[in-house]
């Protein structure tokens, strides 16, 4: 699907387009009604049992941090859904698009509100799946399919690490409830599993929030329609990792490894992404890289524990969501109106699109950090927060200043040049103003950025202070949001940012070739992705050729070899080797049975006659039945004899009709014998280890007590099969019947062969 809109319909997509908007508005209104209680210091929690047997509850927590995210998700979601209703008006797949986008919004809300690790992970994966569907909405293009798969693979791989971290965290702390875990911060940081837990959780959050070196998937995700880019990849989905780092901040911050990992990764991502943003000519790609810069900045501040840093984090979180979603929607309006997003082509749109130019100007001024916009307050707080770092503050301050100056230049490229600079290049279409449903989102978001700048108390009381309290435990360390903080170092750094940003903007065309050469000299992770996929496919083809060539013997060999490695490796790793049993009580009868069974097994393996092999296999089965008789289980012995007789008959019918495969005349029996012996030894060791372990007989005692009073049966085994596990038995019978029917169908199509 082309990212430009289809033919515009004045009525959009009717109820299909308006119902999702209504859902988002209702959710936004409900969360807004909770703001006064949260601002007063209350935390609202809802719990109900989900998997009681495992101690897992579906619990939700509304505090300052989760409420801030919930308001951004539902509020921006409503505007994006309204925008989409016109942007994709008349699109044949719009209902599917609206379903995906609404589902993503709900999954994201579940993620930020979940107070249980398992519940949070479920919603985490739901956001991965729905974002995959949205990125690949234009599945008829190679680029759309590739970008969707890349995002799914990278974030999905990180999610596996995250799940492992959650499991370790839950078992280490004795609870899967986040609120209970974070209340034991000192215990967690002193725990021997703290470092593995931290590494696994950061692997999940870094991939989700596209921190270097996992950054490459996010710009490629711009293959999605513009409303998806505005919602998923600037305001919500990519901030899921940032949210989780913020949620874990009270329990895991304050250590050297937390500080250096987040600070270095965040600072490098911010500067690296800003450089890449300046070299882009596609407005959407430029905004994508500035999103990486913002994510790096938020990660950098989460590495700190000061009040300035946490206030800067909470403020910039809102600042970025407002201006970035507005600018993405503006780019969508430009693309719809002119048919292009190329900065070198666009120009002079101000007169034809005055409302769009107004929204773009306000959002860009906030992005550049001009007063009196909220972006200016956020920038001042960022500089104050970076200077409060105890280790190497000026190094990180220089990195942040460089990134902000580059963002200043990109803001001019995205919002100033397309509207007010002439290019003399003919546009694909004559520009015109977008319909009001497409303009409502960018105008509202841009105006909010200006309103909160003039009246910062509105934002501070409702969202910033409660968020800081969620991160630090109290609002005493929260810093005041104000336009004028006096003459100080942050103000000086802001002046330097504007001056340097203006120089970069004026010379960005001349800088692009040099930046291109610099970036091209660095490792290309996106190209590496293609090589990785090619290597993965080659490995899969090689593996399939080895273990799945259509030869039954190889299937069986691979299966039992895997069992051997799993059993033996686990016992060696867990040091669970048993002691050899005392054989003084072994009787002649026992020895005779062992000899009988062994002889049958050896004959089965050595004979070249199928008839002899089947007969020897029957001897093995009879020997096993006699073991049941010796140990006073005649009913099981009778069952064994009946089953053994049936198996011999069925195997005879099957084997005599199957062809003989000659694998180049090679005799595989020695290797098979070694594997069989190793499997037998492993199973023996496992059984001996089990016998050395005290058995939990509670279930046995339960069946002994209840089989007669409740099921009216004295044969406990029969009662278990027929009454207590009736559905299991029925399922097993169904499987056997289906397998028999399948075997019968296959045998009918196979010609019988003479026994060799």
């Amino acid at each position: 699907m082309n990212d430009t809109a289809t033919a515009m319909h004045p009525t959009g997509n009717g109820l299909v387009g308006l119902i999702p908007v209504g859902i988002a508005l209702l959710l936004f209104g409900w969360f807004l009604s909770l703001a006064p209680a949260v601002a007063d210091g209350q935390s609202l929690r809802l719990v109900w049992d989900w998997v009681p047997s495992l101690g897992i509850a579906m619990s939700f927590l509304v505090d300052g941090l989760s409420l801030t995210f919930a308001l951004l998700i539902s509020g921006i979601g409503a505007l994006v859904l309204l925008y989409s209703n016109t942007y994709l008006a008349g699109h044949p797949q719009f209902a599917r698009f609206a379903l995906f986008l609404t589902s993503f919004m709900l999954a994201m809300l579940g993620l930020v509100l979940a107070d249980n690790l398992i519940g949070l992970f479920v919603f985490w994966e739901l956001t991965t799946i729905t974002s995959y569907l949205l990125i690949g909405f234009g599945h008829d293009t190679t680029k759309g399919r590739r970008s969707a798969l890349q995002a799914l693979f990278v974030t999905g791989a990180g999610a596996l690490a995250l799940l492992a971290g959650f499991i370790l965290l839950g078992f280490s702390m004795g609870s899967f409830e986040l609120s209970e875990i974070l209340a034991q911060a000192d215990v967690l940081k002193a725990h021997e599993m703290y470092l593995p837990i931290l590494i696994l959780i950061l692997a999940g959050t870094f991939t989700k929030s596209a921190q270097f070196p996992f950054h490459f998937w996010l710009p490629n995700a711009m293959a999605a329609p513009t409303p998806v880019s505005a919602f998923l990849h600037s305001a919500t989905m990519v901030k899921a990792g940032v949210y989780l780092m913020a949620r874990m901040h009270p329990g895991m911050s304050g250590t050297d490894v937390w500080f250096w990992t987040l600070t270095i990764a965040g600072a490098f991502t911010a500067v690296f992404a800003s450089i890449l943003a300046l070299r882009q000519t596609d407005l959407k790609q430029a905004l994508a890289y500035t999103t990486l810069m913002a994510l790096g900045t938020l990660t950098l501040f989460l590495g700190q524990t000061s009040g300035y840093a946490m206030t800067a984090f909470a403020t910039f979180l809102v600042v970025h969501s407002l201006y970035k979603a507005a600018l993405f929607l503006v780019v969508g309006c430009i693309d719809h109106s002119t048919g292009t997003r190329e900065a070198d082509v666009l120009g002079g749109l101000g007169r034809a699109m005055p409302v769009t130019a107004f929204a773009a100007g306000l959002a860009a001024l906030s992005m550049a950090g001009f007063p009196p916009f909220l972006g200016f307050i956020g920038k001042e707080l960022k500089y104050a927060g970076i200077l409060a770092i105890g280790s190497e503050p000026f190094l990180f301050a220089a990195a942040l200043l460089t990134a902000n100056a580059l963002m200043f230049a990109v803001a001019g490229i995205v919002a100033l040049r397309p509207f007010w600079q002439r290019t003399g290049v003919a546009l694909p279409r004559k520009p015109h103003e977008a319909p009001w449903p497409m303009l409502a989102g960018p105008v509202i978001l841009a105006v909010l950025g200006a309103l909160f700048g003039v009246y910062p108390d509105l934002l501070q009381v409702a969202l910033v202070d409660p968020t800081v309290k969620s991160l630090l435990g109290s609002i005493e360390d929260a810093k005041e949001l104000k336009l004028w903080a006096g003459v100080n170092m942050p103000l000086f750094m802001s002046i330097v940012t504007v001056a340097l940003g203006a120089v970069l903007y004026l010379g960005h065309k001349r800088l692009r070739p040099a930046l291109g050469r610099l970036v091209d000299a660095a490792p290309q992770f996106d190209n590496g992705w293609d090589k990785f996929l090619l290597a993965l496919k080659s490995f899969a083809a090689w593996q399939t050729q080895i273990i799945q060539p259509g030869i039954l013997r190889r299937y069986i060999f691979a299966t039992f070899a895997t069992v051997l490695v799993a059993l033996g490796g686990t016992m060696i790793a867990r040091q669970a080797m048993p002691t050899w049993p005392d054989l003084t009580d072994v009787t002649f009868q026992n020895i005779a049975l062992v000899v009988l069974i062994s002889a049958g097994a050896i004959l089965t393996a050595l004979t070249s006659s199928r008839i002899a092999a089947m007969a020897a296999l029957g001897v093995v089965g009879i020997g096993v039945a006699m073991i049941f008789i010796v140990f006073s289980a005649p009913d099981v012995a009778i069952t064994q004899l009946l089953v053994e007789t049936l198996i011999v008959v069925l195997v005879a019918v099957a084997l005599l009709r199957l062809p003989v495969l000659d694998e180049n005349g090679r005799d595989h029996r020695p290797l098979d014998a070694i594997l069989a012996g190793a499997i037998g030894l492993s199973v023996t060791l496992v059984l001996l280890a089990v016998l050395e372990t005290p058995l939990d007989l509670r279930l046995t005692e339960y069946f002994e007590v209840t089989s007669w009073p409740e099921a009216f049966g004295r044969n406990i085994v029969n009662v278990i099969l027929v009454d207590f596990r009736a559905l299991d038995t029925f399922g097993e019978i169904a499987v056997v019947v289906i397998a028999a029917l399948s075997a019968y169908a296959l045998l009918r199509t196979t010609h019988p062969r003479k026994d060799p």
Side-chain angles (χ1 to χ4, degrees):
M1 184 197 74
N2 196 319
D3 192 32
T4 55
T6 57
M8 305 303 294
H9 290 208
T11 58
N13 294 280
L15 286 177
V16 175
L18 295 178
I19 289 176
V21 179
I23 294 173
L25 285 175
L26 287 174
L27 288 169
F28 178 77
W30 183 67
F31 287 122
L32 196 61
S33 69
L34 301 178
V38 174
D40 288 339
Q42 300 180 36
S43 294
L44 311 176
R45 196 163 183 268
L46 176 65
V47 184
W48 71 79
D49 288 338
W50 183 21
V51 188
S53 59
L54 298 178
I56 298 175
M58 186 62 75
S59 53
F60 298 95
L61 175 69
V62 180
D63 63 355
L65 180 64
S66 59
L67 180 64
T68 299
F69 272 92
L71 287 171
L72 290 174
I73 293 165
S74 57
I76 295 177
L79 295 174
V80 169
L81 285 164
L82 178 65
Y83 181 98
S84 304
N85 190 32
T86 302
Y87 185 82
L88 295 175
H91 194 286
Q93 297 293 330
F94 178 79
R96 183 167 65 97
F97 176 85
L99 174 63
F100 292 164
L101 197 59
T102 306
S103 299
F104 170 81
M105 179 184 69
L106 296 175
M108 193 69 197
L109 286 172
L111 189 157
V112 300
L113 296 171
D115 192 40
N116 181 277
L117 290 174
I118 303 302
L120 191 154
F121 180 77
V122 170
F123 289 115
W124 183 281
E125 286 297 82
L126 286 174
T127 63
T128 299
I129 294 170
T130 50
S131 63
Y132 165 76
L133 296 172
L134 286 165
I135 296 170
F137 183 68
H139 56 272
D140 53 335
T141 65
T142 302
K143 183 178 180 182
R145 294 192 299 271
R146 178 183 183 273
S147 300
L149 180 62
Q150 188 179 74
L152 177 68
F153 196 100
V154 174
T155 58
L160 293 177
L162 182 67
L163 177 60
F166 279 176
I167 292 173
L168 282 179
L169 180 60
F171 282 111
S172 298
M173 301 303 294
S175 174
F176 283 91
E177 296 298 307
L178 265 170
S179 53
E180 296 178 11
I181 293 171
L182 298 180
Q184 308 175 65
D186 294 337
V187 176
L188 174 57
K189 284 182 278 193
H191 200 281
E192 61 181 356
M193 298 302 295
Y194 170 79
L195 184 58
I197 291 170
L198 177 63
I199 293 172
L200 291 169
I201 290 178
L202 289 184
T205 58
F206 277 22
T207 52
K208 196 79 160 181
S209 286
Q211 297 299 293
F212 184 90
F214 310 109
H215 63 284
F216 56 91
W217 71 264
L218 191 147
N220 290 337
M222 295 302 116
T226 295
V228 175
S229 303
F231 193 38
L232 273 70
H233 306 124
S234 63
T236 54
M237 182 251 188
V238 291
K239 287 200 176 83
V242 170
Y243 165 78
L244 186 55
M245 285 186 280
R247 178 55 73 195
M248 302 304 300
H249 185 276
M252 305 192 77
S253 64
T255 63
D256 287 342
V257 64
W258 174 277
F259 168 79
W260 288 110
T261 303
L262 269 65
T263 304
I264 293 175
F268 187 86
T269 301
V271 176
F272 179 73
S274 301
I275 294 173
L276 292 177
L278 191 63
R279 67 172 297 211
Q280 304 303 315
T281 58
D282 185 308
L283 298 182
K284 203 171 169 186
Q285 285 291 321
L287 290 176
Y289 282 105
T290 61
T291 296
L292 285 175
M293 176 270 177
L295 295 172
T297 302
L298 291 168
T299 301
L300 184 156
F301 281 110
L302 284 174
Q304 326 307 318
T305 55
S306 68
Y308 268 119
M310 295 303 98
T311 307
F313 166 82
T315 307
F316 187 60
L317 176 69
V318 178
V319 170
H320 175 258
S321 296
L322 294 179
Y323 76 67
K324 187 56 63 64
L327 288 175
F328 264 118
L329 297 179
V330 163
V331 169
C333 293
I334 294 173
D335 193 10
H336 158 254
S337 174
T338 64
T340 182
R341 300 192 304 255
E342 285 295 316
D344 293 340
V345 175
L346 293 166
L349 301 179
R351 290 189 177 184
M353 306 174 66
V355 180
T356 306
F358 170 75
L362 293 183
L365 288 171
S366 186
M367 177 178 174
F370 274 105
F373 294 90
L374 184 61
F376 173 77
I377 299 175
K379 184 177 64 177
E380 294 282 286
L381 285 169
K382 285 191 292 182
Y383 285 145
I386 207 72
L387 293 173
I389 294 178
S391 301
E392 307 297 336
F394 293 104
L395 175 63
F396 294 116
L400 186 61
L401 189 149
T402 302
N404 281 334
L406 289 164
M407 289 305 94
F408 182 100
V410 174
I413 295 171
V414 173
L416 177 64
R417 182 170 176 174
F419 295 99
W420 308 113
Q421 185 170 335
R422 296 285 180 180
T423 63
V425 180
L427 297 174
R429 289 198 296 264
K430 183 179 179 181
H432 58 84
E433 194 65 272
W436 75 264
M438 292 177 62
L439 293 174
V443 169
I444 291 173
L445 294 171
V447 169
L448 284 175
L451 179 65
F452 288 141
V454 177
Y455 300 102
D457 290 346
L458 296 174
L459 186 65
Q460 174 133 30
V461 174
L463 297 181
V464 173
D465 284 349
T467 301
V468 172
K469 182 187 177 190
S470 299
L471 298 170
L472 298 179
S474 68
I475 62 172
E476 295 179 0
D477 293 329
K479 303 305 177 182
E480 183 181 358
L481 272 63
K482 50 187 176 182
L483 276 172
W484 177 250
V487 179
N488 50 26
M489 183 59 74
L491 179 63
F492 172 74
M493 294 175 70
S494 293
I495 296 172
V496 174
T497 300
V498 172
L500 182 58
V503 172
L504 290 171
Y505 171 73
L506 294 174
H508 71 275
K509 283 190 174 182
R510 290 186 291 273
L511 284 173
R512 277 178 182 163
L515 293 176
R517 289 191 296 270
L518 177 65
V519 173
D520 292 339
Q524 299 298 309
F525 291 92
D526 193 43
N527 295 337
W529 161 260
D530 293 325
K531 295 177 182 177
F532 168 75
L533 273 190
L534 182 61
L536 188 64
K537 292 177 182 178
S538 300
F539 174 76
W542 171 82
Q543 175 185 265
T544 302
Q545 185 178 8
I546 295 296
I547 65 175
Q548 293 182 322
I551 300 173
L552 181 60
R553 178 198 159 272
R554 291 198 191 178
Y555 285 94
I556 297 174
F557 189 92
T559 301
F560 280 102
T562 303
V563 172
L564 175 62
V565 171
L567 282 178
T570 302
M571 294 192 70
I572 293 172
R574 300 294 297 271
Q575 298 180 350
M577 291 298 179
T579 57
W580 195 253
D582 184 8
L583 301 177
T584 56
D585 295 334
V586 176
T587 65
F588 174 78
Q589 190 180 47
N590 300 139
I591 296 174
L593 288 175
V594 171
V595 172
L596 177 66
I597 294 171
S598 301
I602 293 172
L603 179 59
T604 303
L606 295 179
T607 183
S608 59
S609 170
R610 291 182 173 183
I611 294 295
M614 287 182 288
L617 201 61
V619 171
V620 174
I622 292 172
V624 173
M626 293 176 68
I627 290 177
F628 291 135
I629 293 175
V630 169
F631 287 96
S632 304
D635 53 342
V636 181
I638 293 172
T639 304
Q640 169 69 20
L641 287 172
L642 293 173
V643 171
E644 187 64 35
T645 303
L646 179 62
I647 287 176
V648 170
V649 173
L650 291 176
V651 170
V653 174
L655 288 180
L656 294 176
R657 299 177 72 90
L658 289 176
V660 176
L661 294 178
D662 182 13
E663 295 188 52
N664 300 323
R666 290 179 293 179
D667 187 2
H668 297 282
R669 284 182 295 181
L671 185 60
D672 295 343
I674 293 173
L675 178 61
I679 285 287
L681 179 61
S682 298
V683 172
T684 301
L685 293 175
V686 169
L687 290 175
L688 291 175
V690 170
L691 292 175
E692 289 182 355
T693 305
L695 297 178
D696 186 351
L697 299 177
R698 287 178 295 175
L699 193 58
T700 302
E701 294 169 354
Y702 170 79
F703 288 132
E704 289 177 350
V705 172
T706 57
S707 62
W708 171 251
E710 295 189 12
F712 305 105
R714 299 188 182 278
N715 188 316
I716 297 176
V717 174
N718 290 348
V719 169
I720 292 173
L721 293 175
V722 177
D723 292 280
F724 291 112
R725 295 183 57 190
L727 289 177
D728 288 349
T729 305
F730 175 77
E732 292 164 0
I733 294 172
V735 169
V736 172
V737 171
I738 293 170
L741 292 173
S742 302
Y744 174 72
L746 289 172
L747 292 172
R748 286 188 61 186
T749 61
T750 307
H751 297 293
R753 292 180 60 90
K754 293 182 179 180
D755 183 50

